[in-house]
Amino acid sequence: MMDILHRIGVLSAPDAVYAALTTVEGLADWWTEDTEGDTGIGGVIRFRFEAGGFDMKVLEARPEERVVWEVVDGPEEWIGTRVRFDLKEEDGFTIVLFRHEGWKEPVEFMYHCSTKWAIFLMSLKRLVETGKGEPAPRDVRIGNWH
């Protein structure tokens, strides 16, 4: 199994980052504007993009510590993978340790998704620090897959 890993520091308290990861409004403000669903444990959040979308089942949501989703619908390569955000406070930053774990193999789509996750994590950082993220469809286009 292969994982996508990223680390970012956000100049904010963990509760602000946690809110951006656990509310439909917060998620729509940094990942994709077309977000809806139930962000509670066991709920399913639907994220839609120009080129398709993903449905995530909420497995874990520990305030100011961790959010974990399982991909239950979307591209074949994503189904069954997990998306995880671990939060910790260090020197005035909330450190976000991001994992998109459980890829069966490092296909070209994984490379693309790794770059897009980095772009969207920077959008999360901007949202929490400035009040304005860059969610899809206003995100950076990196190629023919958007």
Side-chain angles (χ1 to χ4, degrees):
M1 296 287 196
M2 310 297 285
D3 299 342
I4 294 171
L5 307 170
H6 293 291
R7 179 189 188 272
I8 63 163
V10 180
L11 283 167
S12 164
D15 62 333
V17 177
Y18 183 79
L21 297 172
T22 57
T23 64
V24 168
E25 297 80 14
L27 293 162
D29 284 345
W30 69 267
W31 196 15
T32 178
E33 292 176 351
D34 191 353
T35 298
E36 61 181 23
D38 178 359
T39 59
I41 301 292
V44 174
I45 312 167
R46 290 171 298 285
F47 301 96
R48 296 296 177 263
F49 299 82
E50 184 180 330
F54 315 98
D55 291 357
M56 309 280 194
K57 182 178 181 180
V58 180
L59 299 182
E60 209 174 324
R62 284 195 240 160
E64 302 177 28
E65 287 182 32
R66 178 176 297 140
V67 174
V68 181
W69 305 323
E70 179 180 1
V71 182
V72 294
D73 195 18
E76 181 181 339
E77 297 91 344
W78 278 48
I79 294 176
T81 63
R82 291 188 177 189
V83 175
R84 176 176 169 161
F85 304 85
D86 285 304
L87 309 177
K88 63 182 180 175
E89 215 168 349
E90 280 184 13
D91 302 322
F93 286 88
T94 295
I95 304 300
V96 179
L97 297 175
F98 171 87
R99 298 177 74 99
H100 185 171
E101 55 193 14
W103 288 74
K104 292 180 180 92
E105 55 185 328
V107 294
E108 187 176 351
F109 187 45
M110 183 179 173
Y111 293 33
H112 170 82
C113 292
S114 180
T115 304
K116 289 304 287 193
W117 273 123
I119 288 167
F120 286 121
L121 289 168
M122 293 304 296
S123 175
L124 169 64
K125 176 180 173 62
R126 278 188 290 281
L127 171 65
V128 176
E129 290 180 353
T130 71
K132 187 168 175 76
E134 295 174 357
R138 296 180 287 117
D139 58 312
V140 175
R141 185 169 180 160
I142 61 169
N144 59 329
W145 293 345
H146 302 279

